[in-house]
Amino acid sequence: MDRLQKVIAHAGIASRRKAEELILEGKVKVNGTVVKELGVKVGPSDKIEVNEVPLEREEPVYFLLYKPRGVISSVKDDKGRKVVTDYFTEIKQRIYPVGRLDYDTSGVLLLTNDGEFANLLMHPSSEVEKVYVAKIKGIPQKEQLKKLARGIQLEDGKTAPAKVKLLSFDKKNQTAIVELTIHEGRNRQVRRMFEAIGHPVMKLKRERYGTLTLHGLNAGEAKELTPHEVKQLRVLAMKKTSK
Ligand code: URA
């Protein structure tokens, strides 16, 4: 048995706070009766309606996919290109990606049907670390890397401080490999950050998401997260958001 507001939040309809408001406003019915108290617990067989719409409930599931390049971070694509859920045809739950990686970016991508979990991780104040390894054009100077670390002015505002490590460089081909650790998740952020210092990204991979790495997986392979891994991520996201 779970609290009603938690079950509504899990279904991805609203945050837990918003779910509480919906209950208090009398917009939620359990087995045909309006419930206006917050303490009520419900089981799997209880029929819940929010604004007269029955709640679809599924067992929450959590996966890590090693997303290959050339795949869309979506559940469907109008142009018929490969999407990340194509790797989960055996899974009956309706999972979707937590945030997105660009079509040409590979690496760690989470998928779940737990809306509350996804919202928590994607919340702008969530400071879950994401570690990217980029192959870039040219060899950056120390000062340029420092700029990335301090934060860089992009069209949608300055980026938060980041960790930057030059892993290697190739003088002959004029390329470098740089590790960048950020906690924000703006659209094409890593590519835009490198562009801003004059070293466009040639190849990009997300190596780590919070505590999760690609260890043991090949591109295109997925694994289900253990309850412990899910808990660790939740704790990480909550700790930071309450800062
Ligand atoms: N930053 C990017 O530029 N692309 C991604 O796919 C992820 C982060």
Side-chain angles (χ1 to χ4, degrees):
M1 298 280 273
D2 275 316
R3 282 173 183 266
L4 184 54
Q5 55 267 42
K6 181 176 168 185
V7 174
I8 295 170
H10 269 197
I13 290 186
S15 66
R16 209 177 283 201
R17 177 120 59 82
K18 185 82 185 74
E20 288 175 359
E21 279 173 31
L22 289 168
I23 295 168
L24 293 171
E25 287 165 8
K27 302 212 167 122
V28 179
K29 281 185 191 167
V30 177
N31 302 323
T33 308
V34 172
V35 168
K36 282 182 145 183
E37 306 94 61
L38 295 178
V40 173
K41 292 201 166 179
V42 287
S45 59
D46 287 314
K47 197 170 157 275
I48 300 164
E49 286 165 79
V50 177
N51 287 325
E52 310 291 332
V53 180
L55 199 71
E56 300 277 355
R57 294 162 74 190
E58 289 176 341
E59 198 50 32
V61 286
Y62 309 86
F63 293 94
L64 184 169
L65 170 69
Y66 182 164
K67 177 192 169 301
R69 287 192 289 155
V71 181
I72 312 254
S73 294
S74 176
V75 296
K76 62 174 182 336
D77 181 54
D78 295 342
K79 296 179 190 147
R81 289 170 297 184
K82 204 169 176 84
V83 295
V84 288
T85 44
D86 288 344
Y87 294 91
F88 298 90
T89 47
E90 308 285 294
I91 304 300
K92 64 177 192 319
Q93 289 90 344
R94 292 160 310 157
I95 56 172
Y96 50 86
V98 177
R100 56 189 296 278
L101 288 177
D102 298 335
Y103 182 71
D104 279 328
T105 303
S106 64
V108 180
L109 185 67
L110 296 183
L111 292 101
T112 185
N113 58 347
D114 181 341
E116 186 186 31
F117 181 74
N119 286 337
L120 185 65
L121 288 173
M122 289 193 294
H123 194 274
S125 62
S126 159
E127 294 198 7
V128 174
E129 274 189 348
K130 291 124 197 163
V131 181
Y132 294 90
V133 173
K135 180 178 181 183
I136 58 172
K137 257 193 195 151
I139 302 169
Q141 302 287 316
K142 265 202 182 124
E143 190 44 46
Q144 289 173 297
L145 296 179
K146 272 193 196 152
K147 265 193 205 164
L148 287 183
R150 280 195 298 261
I152 209 150
Q153 193 62 44
L154 299 177
E155 65 211 13
D156 52 355
K158 194 173 174 186
T159 59
K163 288 186 220 157
V164 186
K165 227 192 268 176
L166 178 65
L167 297 182
S168 65
F169 56 88
D170 181 337
K171 269 195 173 156
K172 185 166 153 270
N173 291 313
Q174 284 296 302
T175 59
I177 309 283
V178 180
E179 182 185 276
L180 182 66
T181 304
I182 59 173
H183 55 73
E184 297 168 293
R186 300 192 218 164
N187 193 25
R188 297 178 66 82
Q189 179 166 346
V190 175
R191 291 175 198 271
R192 290 191 290 138
M193 286 172 78
F194 280 107
E195 241 154 58
I197 59 158
H199 293 281
V201 168
M202 299 166 73
K203 221 170 164 186
L204 187 61
K205 182 175 180 184
R206 181 152 74 190
E207 294 272 0
R208 180 160 72 76
Y209 188 103
T211 43
L212 302 176
T213 69
L214 296 167
H215 186 74
L217 292 177
N218 292 313
E221 287 180 349
K223 66 164 191 167
E224 186 161 8
L225 300 188
T226 64
H228 182 66
E229 286 171 323
V230 175
K231 197 167 176 189
Q232 272 184 321
L233 273 183
R234 199 172 261 138
V235 167
L236 211 59
M238 304 237 284
K239 190 158 59 187
K240 302 291 190 175
T241 47
S242 62
K243 209 168 63 172

